[in-house]
Amino acid sequence: MLRSKDLLGMQELAPDEIVLILDSAATMKRVLESGNKKTAHLQGRSVVTLFYENSTRTRLSFEMASKFMGAASANISSSGSSVQKGESLLDTVRTIDRMATDVLVMRHPQSGAPHGIAPRVRASVVNAGDGMNEHPTQALLDLFTMRDRLGRLEGLEVAIVGDVLHSRVARSDLWALSKLGAHVRLAGPPTMMPRGLEGTGARICRTVDEALEGADVVMGLRVQLERQKSGLFPSIAEYARFFSISADRLARAKPGALVMHPGPCNHGVEMPTLVYDSPQSVIDEQVTNGVAVRMAVLYLLNARRNA
Ligand code: NCD
């Protein structure tokens, strides 16, 4: 059983809760692979997604997950809602909460926004990305994919390359992987490497080559141009020259090392299309596993509400 009514971040989850979600997701994946993508786990329940930032994968996978499990689901985004009339986040979520919502999935540009909201609503709040802080369900689907393919998490060497500073995905992965005994190496432009990471146990590498050497998993992170206030690197071409996960660089990783990316990918920047589409790439699988993981999260939060 999950301990909290909400899923706010990997920082807040205990290792046994992470394993519980991954194990439940394995069951859900079997449902997705069967001819009948339907369960009754969320029958009579409601799920609302509230997004203040753009999304394709996260939002759609929560919506599909809710529908596969029989919930009433609805989406609302900041554009097209009363947010445009100046309504506050708190008034917006209170309104949603009062429509008998059981689970509120929210994405917001401000770090910590869901943490402020969670104690003020009856619904279970799921963080679908808060600013530069966390994106827990992305980390869960990343871990699920690694465990599914490699059979374990403990002792894995995971290289994360790119815009670590702006990446809530990197932060959630760092928390989650270190809790389950995997080792993280980070590489990226020094201007995109946050300070104070030494305490997380991650190894900060000076070059991509160094990070990839002998790695089991190689993950690219999108260069988040929308979160940059000033140019943190001279040009896209310059970034690609030093930090792109090229086939040559990938050859330094273990044979058959997994290539991952949370998406959306800037092809030719984080990695060339050749690597994105290579047999080592599990990027498409990450998307499929994202639905299974979100089904598991919704199932477990609902089970706790019923208890
Ligand atoms: C990520 C996000 O929004 O944090 N996307 C996602 O959910 N798959 C990563 C990104 O936008 O770069």
Side-chain angles (χ1 to χ4, degrees):
M1 176 89 62
L2 295 178
R3 296 190 186 98
S4 165
K5 102 174 167 30
D6 311 291
L7 175 61
L8 299 175
M10 299 313 293
Q11 186 172 7
E12 286 87 358
L13 280 184
D16 66 300
E17 294 179 289
I18 302 175
V19 172
L20 174 66
I21 298 171
L22 300 182
D23 289 346
S24 309
T27 308
M28 296 307 177
K29 193 168 177 184
R30 283 197 284 279
V31 173
L32 288 178
E33 286 168 347
S34 77
N36 184 15
K37 298 189 280 285
K38 199 129 200 77
T39 79
H41 291 123
L42 293 185
Q43 210 146 38
R45 298 286 165 172
S46 57
V47 177
V48 173
T49 65
L50 171 66
F51 276 58
Y52 283 69
E53 283 185 0
N54 296 339
S55 168
T56 300
R57 294 159 191 76
T58 306
R59 182 172 179 153
L60 187 57
S61 60
F62 270 112
E63 189 177 351
M64 300 295 271
S66 316
K67 294 208 153 97
F68 291 151
M69 299 172 85
S73 65
N75 305 306
I76 181 162
S77 37
S78 49
S79 61
S81 72
S82 290
V83 172
Q84 295 302 320
K85 299 180 187 169
E87 189 165 34
S88 70
L89 174 62
L90 184 56
D91 285 353
T92 304
V93 296
R94 255 195 222 165
T95 306
I96 297 168
D97 200 41
R98 282 290 161 172
M99 293 191 192
T101 299
D102 293 298
V103 182
L104 172 64
V105 179
M106 65 176 277
R107 172 172 285 190
H108 197 276
Q110 199 183 321
S111 298
H115 305 69
I117 290 303
R120 308 170 95 134
V121 292
R122 292 184 297 207
S124 292
V125 174
V126 178
N127 180 5
D130 62 322
M132 291 157 43
N133 181 37
E134 280 226 40
H135 189 354
T137 57
Q138 179 69 40
L140 288 164
L141 78 87
D142 289 342
L143 264 66
F144 181 90
T145 306
M146 292 177 209
R147 197 183 73 161
D148 195 40
R149 276 303 198 109
L150 303 174
R152 68 192 165 102
L153 290 167
E154 194 166 353
L156 287 186
E157 294 290 336
V158 180
I160 302 181
V161 179
D163 186 355
V164 179
L165 177 65
H166 296 106
S167 180
R168 51 197 176 206
V169 175
R171 239 168 300 277
S172 284
D173 273 328
L174 250 174
W175 281 113
L177 288 166
S178 62
K179 283 184 187 191
L180 292 191
H183 308 130
V184 178
R185 303 109 169 253
L186 299 168
T191 48
M192 291 180 165
M193 202 54 75
R195 267 168 258 278
L197 276 180
E198 292 74 16
T200 64
R203 204 177 99 205
I204 320 283
C205 300
R206 278 186 312 112
T207 63
V208 177
D209 283 351
E210 187 188 331
L212 265 51
E213 195 68 49
D216 297 284
V217 177
V218 178
M219 184 186 295
L221 296 175
R222 186 173 66 86
V223 176
Q224 306 216 354
L225 295 168
E226 77 275 25
R227 288 190 215 282
Q228 284 196 36
K229 292 195 179 67
S230 57
L232 292 179
F233 54 90
S235 71
I236 289 280
E238 189 90 336
Y239 176 92
R241 192 167 138 228
F242 289 104
F243 299 102
S244 182
I245 302 164
S246 64
D248 282 353
R249 289 190 175 126
L250 182 60
R252 291 182 175 264
K254 287 213 180 109
L258 305 182
V259 172
M260 302 179 73
H261 192 297
C265 180
N266 299 301
H267 285 251
V269 181
E270 290 101 61
M271 61 184 74
T273 303
L274 188 79
V275 170
Y276 187 95
D277 282 337
S278 74
Q280 285 173 250
S281 166
V282 291
I283 296 170
D284 289 337
E285 262 174 65
Q286 286 178 269
V287 174
T288 307
N289 294 337
V291 182
V293 159
R294 279 147 188 150
M295 286 172 79
V297 165
L298 293 174
Y299 162 68
L300 290 167
L301 287 176
N302 190 52
R304 190 186 179 282
R305 293 176 79 76
N306 289 341

